[in-house]
Amino acid sequence: MVKKVAVALGVLSLVFPTMAFAADEASSQMLNMGLNTLWILIAAILVILMQGGFILLEAGSTRMKNAGHVAGKTIFTIGLCSLVYWAVGYGITFGTDNVENETLSNIIGWGSFFFDPSIAGDPLNENYPTSVFFLFQLAFAAISLSIAWGGFAERAKLSSYLVFTVLFVAVIYPVVAHWIWGGGWLAQDGAQDYAGSTVVHLTGALAAFAATVLLKPRIGKFNKDGSANEILGHNQVYSALSVLLLWVGWFGFNAGSAVSVGDGFFAYVAFNTQLGAAAGAVAALLISWLITGKADITTTLNGALAGLVAITASCAFVDPWAAVVIGLVAGVLVFFSVKFFEKIKVDDPIYALSVHGMAGIWGTLANGIFATQVLADKVGVGQGGLIDTGSWHQLWVQFESVVVVGAYVLGASFLILGVMKMVMGFRVTEEQEIIGLDLSEHGTYGYPEQMKKAQQNL
Amino acid sequence: MSDPGGAQLLSRIGSADDIAALRSLRDEVHEQMEALLSEQPVEQFYAILNEAHDALIKRTIALAEADLARMGNSPPVPYAYLLFGSGGREEQTLSSDQDSGLIYDDPDDEAERETARQYFADLTQLIVETLQQVGYPPCEGNVISTNPDWCLSLSDWDNKLNGWFEEPDWERVRYLLIVADSRSIYGEDELLEKLKGLFFSDMLENPVIVRHMLNNTMRHKVLVGVFGQLLRERYGEDAGSLDVKYGAYIPMVNAIRMMSIRAGLRETSTLARIHSLHLMGKLSADDASAYTEAFRLFMRLRLMATERSLDGMYMNNGKLSSRKLTKELTDQLKTGLRIGKKLQRRVFRQMNGMF
C-alpha cells in the first residue's frame, strides 16, 4: 500500500515537482484519507440516489391516482429523516458518551446528538472525517425508512408518515444499527451483516409488515372467499427502471460499506454484489416461468432486488460461487414468498415483505453457511460458516441476530403504529382511498389530465 | 330419466308450437340432463344432450319459417342452417352460445337475389331472437347467422372462402377453421356438402395455409407446467380454478381438427375425427385410444365447469373450480393434460415438417 502510494506520488512529483517536498509519511496518510473520503462520499451519493429507485418502484407498482403522493412523500420523508437522524438517530447508533457503562452501551449508544463534526479529519488518527461517515450512515437510515413505506402504500394518512418517520429514525432503526454496527451486543457476538441485510432491509420490511397488518388490505385486494385480485401497478417501465437505479446505487451500498479504498477490497465486494443480483433476476424469471407457465416481469424485478438484498449481508464474506448460489436462492424464495403472503391475506403492494424481509433473512443466514474463514478474518467480524469451517457457530449467531432484531423491530413497530392508529388514525377514509391520495392528501393529481378524464367517466 | 334416450322429450320438442313452450322444454332438458350427469357415460350424455339441442334449434327454425310463411313469405331458394363451434362438433354443453350461419342456393337473377337476401335476413333475425328467448346467448365474436358475413349464397360463400385462402391473415384463418367445424342442422344438407367440397379443394391448392392454421391452432396452451403441475388461475374470483375450456378442451379440439383438415376428413365431432384418423392409419390404435380417453375426460370436466345464469341465458365460464377438483380428478386431469400437450407437440412437428 505504502509502496503504491509512494510510486504514485513519485509519478505525480514529476508533474508537480513541488509535491515531492510533501511526500512524507503524513501526506501519504492525508492522501489515504482523501481517497477514502472521496469514495465514501460517492457511495453515500449513490445510496441517496437509490431513493429515486424507491420513488419509481412504489409509483410504478401502484395506481395512477397515488403517483404524485408516492413521489412527493418520499422527498419529504428523506428531508425529515435527515433532520431526525442528525438530531437523535446518529447519536443513538454511534454515540460513545456512555461507553463506561457497558450494560447500557451494549444496548444503545449515547451522545453526539445534533451532530457537529469537526470541519476536517485528522489523518494521523482517523481513516476518514466523521462528516462523511455521518452522510453515509444517514443514507442507510433513509433506505430502511423507504422500505417501510411499502407497507403503507396507497392507504395511509400523510400525517402517519410524519409521525412514523420521527419515531422510526429516532428509536427503531438506530437501536438495531447500534447492536450490529455501533459496537452493541450483537457486534460483540460476531454477527456478520456487511451492508445491512438485517440492519437496513429486514428492519424496514418488518416495519412494513406491522404497518400493512394494522392498515388491513387495500380495497379490492381480496374477495370475500379469500381469493386475491391482482391490483396492477400503473407503469411497469417505471418499476423496471427503479430496479436498475437501485441496482446501480447498491454498489454504493455494499462496496461503500468497506469505508476505505485501501487495497481495493471494496471492488471484490462490488463484484459479488453484481453476481448476487444477476442470479436473483435469472432465477426469479425462470421459476415463475416453470411454475405458472408465464415469465412474469414483476417477479423478475423482485428477483433482482431479492438477490441484491440477500448478497448485502454476505458480499464481503463469501466466494463468488456462493454469491451466485445466494442470489439464485433469493430469486426462487421471493417468488414463493409473494404467493405465501397472498395466501395469508397480507396485502404487500410493492412486495417489501418478500423482497426485503424474506431475502434479508436469507442473506443474513447465508453468512452462517457460506462465509469463509479467510474473508471473515479479512473483514474482522465473526468467523467462517458451516461449509468452510464445519462449525455451526456462525450460523447460530446469524440466526440469533435475525430473531432478536426481528422481535425488537416487530414489537416496537406494532406498538408505535398501534398507538398511532388509536390516537390519530392510520388509514384514510374509504372515499379518500377510492379517489386517491394525490387528491385527498395533496389536493392535486400526479397525472392531472388523465385522472380528470377518468373522473369524468365515473 | 323415466324416458330413456329422451325420445318422449324429443317428440314434445318437435311438436312445440310457440316460444314459451320451447323455453320450458329447454329448462326441462336442463334439469333432466343435470340429473343424468353422473349416471351416463360421457359420450352418450353428449349424444342425448346434443340431440335435444338440435331438436330445439330445428323446431325454432321451423316455427320461424312458418311465421314468415303466414305473412306470405316462403324461402325463395333452398337453404341450410349451419352450426359452428361446439354446435358444429356436436359437443354443446348444457350452456352453449349460438355460433351459426346460413347458406342458400344461388338465385337465378338480380331481382331474386335481392328477394333472397331480404328473406334470409328476416328469417335469421327471427331465429336468433327466438333462440335467445329459449336461452341461447348470441356468439360474442359475432359469428352468427344474422351477421350478413355469415349468411350468404353458395357462390358468395365460394368467393369468400377464396378470399380467405388468398389472404390468410390471422382473422381469416380463424374463419376458415370455424368453417371446418360447420354442420348443417336444418334444410338442404347438400349445400353444405358443396361448400365443404370447395373448402377441401381450396386446401389442396393452398398448402401454405396449413402453416397459418397451425399458428392459430396452437395459440391456446395446455395448462400443465413443466413439473406436471396444473396451471390454475392465480387471481380474481376464479382464483384456484382451472380453465378447462381453453386450457384442455380447446387445445385438443384444435390439434385434432388440424390433423383432420390435413387428412381431408369431413367429420366434425372430435371423437369421430380421432376414430377416422385411426382408420386412415394416421393414428396408431394406442394413440387413438389415449386421445379418446383424454378427450372424454375433458368433455366430462367441461360439464362440471362453473355455470351462471345471466338474463335468463344459460352461461358457463369454462372454468373448473378448485372445490370440484378432487385428488383423484386432479391426477386424471394431469395425465390427460400431458397427453394433450404431447398431441399438440406432435401436430406442430408434423405440420412443420411438411415444409
Side-chain angles (χ1 to χ4, degrees):
Chain A
M1 172 72 209
V2 176
K3 209 165 143 195
K4 277 187 201 156
V5 172
V7 171
L9 289 174
V11 173
L12 282 173
S13 69
L14 292 177
V15 188
F16 306 105
T18 46
M19 280 187 71
F21 296 112
D24 54 11
E25 183 67 7
S27 73
S28 110
Q29 277 169 332
M30 174 86 86
L31 183 64
N32 188 35
M33 174 179 255
L35 288 174
N36 287 344
T37 309
L38 193 59
W39 169 233
I40 299 169
L41 186 61
I42 289 171
I45 291 169
L46 281 170
V47 177
I48 291 169
L49 199 58
M50 285 169 74
Q51 296 291 345
F54 281 115
I55 290 176
L56 288 174
L57 181 67
E58 195 182 330
S61 312
T62 54
R63 288 159 295 180
M64 247 185 187
K65 61 184 179 183
N66 301 317
H69 158 79
V70 163
K73 75 101 200 356
T74 304
I75 299 296
F76 166 72
T77 55
I78 293 169
L80 185 58
C81 164
S82 305
L83 298 182
V84 176
Y85 193 72
W86 166 71
V88 184
Y90 183 78
I92 302 281
T93 313
F94 296 107
T96 50
D97 290 2
N98 60 343
V99 83
E100 279 87 41
N101 183 343
E102 221 173 280
T103 335
L104 191 60
S105 70
N106 271 343
I107 312 253
I108 57 168
W110 199 261
S112 304
F113 298 117
F114 300 95
F115 186 54
D116 183 15
S118 55
I119 54 169
D122 170 9
L124 295 178
N125 296 309
E126 290 176 326
N127 288 318
Y128 43 78
T130 46
S131 51
V132 81
F133 184 70
F134 172 89
L135 276 176
F136 191 56
Q137 292 299 330
L138 161 64
F140 276 62
I143 292 291
S144 193
L145 183 65
S146 285
I147 293 165
W149 297 148
F152 286 57
E154 296 203 289
R155 60 211 193 283
K157 283 180 170 179
L158 188 68
S159 54
S160 62
Y161 282 96
L162 194 154
V163 175
F164 192 67
T165 298
V166 172
L167 295 171
F168 183 84
V169 179
V171 180
I172 299 179
Y173 176 82
V175 173
V176 176
H178 177 78
W179 288 354
I180 297 184
W181 291 341
W185 65 285
L186 284 171
Q188 289 161 26
D189 277 4
Q192 294 167 342
D193 187 10
Y194 195 68
S197 285
T198 299
V199 177
V200 178
H201 294 280
L202 183 58
T203 301
L206 288 172
F209 178 73
T212 203
V213 167
L214 288 170
L215 280 169
K216 308 235 162 62
R218 289 169 292 171
I219 295 171
K221 176 63 194 179
F222 294 102
N223 298 313
K224 276 193 193 115
D225 63 358
S227 58
N229 294 312
E230 202 173 14
I231 300 181
L232 292 169
H234 86 281
N235 193 330
Q236 208 159 49
V237 179
Y238 276 6
S239 308
L241 277 175
S242 82
V243 170
L244 191 73
L245 255 181
L246 289 165
W247 190 324
V248 171
W250 227 287
F251 289 111
F253 204 92
N254 285 2
S257 292
V259 290
S260 75
V261 172
D263 59 359
F265 180 62
F266 70 104
Y268 180 77
V269 173
F271 168 81
N272 270 349
T273 301
Q274 181 71 6
L275 290 181
V282 170
L285 183 137
L286 292 180
I287 194 73
S288 78
W289 206 352
L290 289 175
I291 302 278
T292 67
K294 299 224 169 69
D296 188 51
I297 303 292
T298 307
T299 305
T300 312
L301 302 180
N302 287 342
L305 293 180
L308 284 162
V309 169
I311 202 63
T312 292
S314 47
C315 49
F317 293 98
V318 300
D319 290 335
W321 69 266
V324 173
V325 173
I326 291 168
L328 288 173
V329 172
V332 172
L333 179 69
V334 80
F335 171 79
F336 287 105
S337 169
V338 167
K339 288 186 108 171
F340 167 75
F341 282 114
E342 247 165 30
K343 191 151 231 172
I344 62 168
K345 286 196 245 172
V346 169
D347 185 12
D348 186 13
I350 62 170
Y351 311 104
L353 311 184
S354 299
V355 167
H356 300 278
M358 289 298 193
I361 292 172
W362 158 241
T364 307
L365 295 179
N367 265 331
I369 302 167
F370 298 104
T372 68
Q373 192 60 48
V374 174
L375 285 163
D377 290 344
K378 168 131 188 92
V379 178
V381 178
Q383 58 188 54
L386 186 58
I387 292 176
D388 191 42
T389 63
S391 153
W392 294 83
H393 173 78
Q394 192 60 40
L395 188 56
W396 168 250
V397 173
Q398 298 301 104
F399 177 74
E400 177 190 47
S401 69
V402 165
V403 170
V404 172
V405 169
Y408 170 70
V409 176
L410 263 188
S413 299
F414 267 112
L415 184 70
I416 288 171
L417 292 168
V419 170
M420 280 167 58
K421 187 176 173 178
M422 278 194 304
V423 174
M424 53 182 272
F426 193 5
R427 184 166 175 158
V428 295
T429 65
E430 199 175 320
E431 190 193 6
Q432 289 170 326
E433 186 175 336
I434 288 166
I435 61 169
L437 302 176
D438 279 11
L439 208 60
S440 82
E441 304 297 283
H442 310 277
T444 177
Y445 281 122
Y447 295 93
E449 289 96 333
Q450 287 87 338
M451 290 311 296
K452 273 178 197 142
K453 219 177 283 167
Q455 235 183 6
Q456 280 160 10
N457 293 339
L458 275 178
Chain B
M1 161 148 52
S2 57
D3 175 20
Q8 199 205 335
L9 190 63
L10 288 180
S11 85
R12 279 167 61 209
I13 292 172
S15 59
D17 46 18
D18 58 33
I19 296 175
L22 282 173
R23 172 75 213 204
S24 74
L25 284 164
R26 163 86 211 248
D27 294 338
E28 212 171 303
V29 169
H30 205 89
E31 278 161 33
Q32 295 204 6
M33 292 310 291
E34 257 180 351
L36 265 184
L37 202 51
S38 49
E39 302 168 14
Q40 294 272 347
V42 69
E43 283 116 307
Q44 220 163 321
F45 179 88
Y46 270 91
I48 301 170
L49 177 60
N50 277 270
E51 230 175 312
H53 280 307
D54 279 9
L56 283 164
I57 297 167
K58 278 181 190 164
R59 189 61 194 159
T60 303
I61 299 170
L63 288 176
E65 212 181 75
D67 262 9
L68 290 182
R70 265 196 294 282
M71 292 187 280
N73 292 326
S74 54
V77 285
Y79 73 98
Y81 198 82
L82 311 180
L83 295 188
F84 304 115
S86 60
R89 293 189 301 271
E90 296 171 80
E91 288 163 9
Q92 295 199 73
T93 59
L94 286 168
S95 45
S96 285
D97 56 1
Q98 301 188 42
D99 299 307
S100 58
L102 192 144
I103 179 170
Y104 52 91
D105 211 349
D106 285 317
D108 291 333
D109 55 42
E110 197 53 46
E112 205 178 307
R113 197 185 305 278
E114 183 48 34
T115 320
R117 202 195 53 74
Q118 190 54 50
Y119 175 81
F120 290 114
D122 293 343
L123 180 68
T124 51
Q125 189 67 37
L126 201 51
I127 295 170
V128 168
E129 271 172 19
T130 311
L131 284 175
Q132 281 190 55
Q133 289 170 45
V134 178
Y136 297 92
C139 166
E140 281 170 16
N142 206 19
V143 177
I144 195 155
S145 58
T146 43
N147 180 348
D149 287 339
W150 295 96
C151 178
L152 300 168
S153 70
L154 183 57
S155 56
D156 285 344
W157 267 112
D158 188 18
N159 288 335
K160 189 138 261 188
L161 282 187
N162 286 331
W164 289 344
F165 273 106
E166 274 157 27
E167 271 184 70
D169 65 13
W170 200 84
E171 198 59 27
R172 289 177 180 146
V173 170
R174 191 171 81 88
Y175 296 152
L176 286 173
L177 293 170
I178 288 171
V179 170
D181 286 352
S182 58
R183 179 166 69 92
S184 164
I185 187 176
Y186 186 94
E188 214 49 57
D189 298 347
E190 189 62 22
L191 288 165
L192 180 64
E193 281 309 305
K194 284 183 186 161
L195 183 67
K196 286 265 174 102
L198 294 168
F199 180 89
F200 283 106
S201 64
D202 276 345
M203 276 297 299
L204 290 178
E205 285 164 25
N206 299 278
V208 181
I209 198 79
V210 172
R211 197 185 299 162
H212 295 281
M213 286 182 167
L214 191 62
N215 291 335
N216 212 306
T217 284
M218 293 297 156
R219 91 197 128 105
H220 292 292
K221 284 188 184 157
V222 178
L223 291 180
V224 59
V226 186
F227 307 116
Q229 81 278 26
L230 301 181
L231 301 177
R232 299 162 188 254
E233 301 286 320
R234 285 187 66 193
Y235 295 103
E237 281 177 18
D238 300 315
S241 65
L242 188 86
D243 190 344
V244 198
K245 181 172 178 190
Y246 287 106
Y249 167 75
I250 290 284
M252 191 130 185
V253 165
N254 283 350
I256 294 292
R257 182 204 294 118
M258 194 69 242
M259 291 181 87
S260 307
I261 291 176
R262 275 300 300 157
L265 280 179
R266 296 205 183 183
E267 267 91 350
T268 55
S269 114
T270 304
L271 289 176
R273 280 170 170 167
I274 294 173
H275 184 63
S276 297
L277 285 168
H278 168 53
L279 294 183
M280 288 175 76
K282 304 269 178 191
L283 286 180
S284 72
D286 285 351
D287 285 344
S289 81
Y291 297 157
T292 302
E293 267 319 294
F295 196 72
R296 291 179 73 226
L297 174 69
F298 298 161
M299 287 172 85
R300 188 151 65 84
L301 295 179
R302 269 201 87 190
L303 296 171
M304 292 164 60
T306 313
E307 291 202 15
R308 39 185 75 131
S309 175
L310 193 75
D311 301 333
M313 312 263 196
Y314 290 107
M315 313 272 262
N316 182 316
N317 70 357
K319 290 173 185 169
L320 189 60
S321 86
S322 53
R323 275 177 293 111
K324 293 184 185 166
L325 275 171
T326 58
K327 175 85 184 66
E328 191 195 353
L329 210 49
T330 306
D331 288 344
Q332 286 178 12
L333 190 50
K334 284 178 180 171
T335 313
L337 289 173
R338 268 194 293 266
I339 291 169
K341 200 170 184 177
K342 255 187 235 155
L343 168 64
Q344 252 193 347
R345 222 175 288 147
R346 166 192 184 145
V347 170
F348 189 77
R349 277 204 213 110
Q350 260 180 15
M351 302 298 154
N352 263 337
M354 297 178 19
F355 300 103

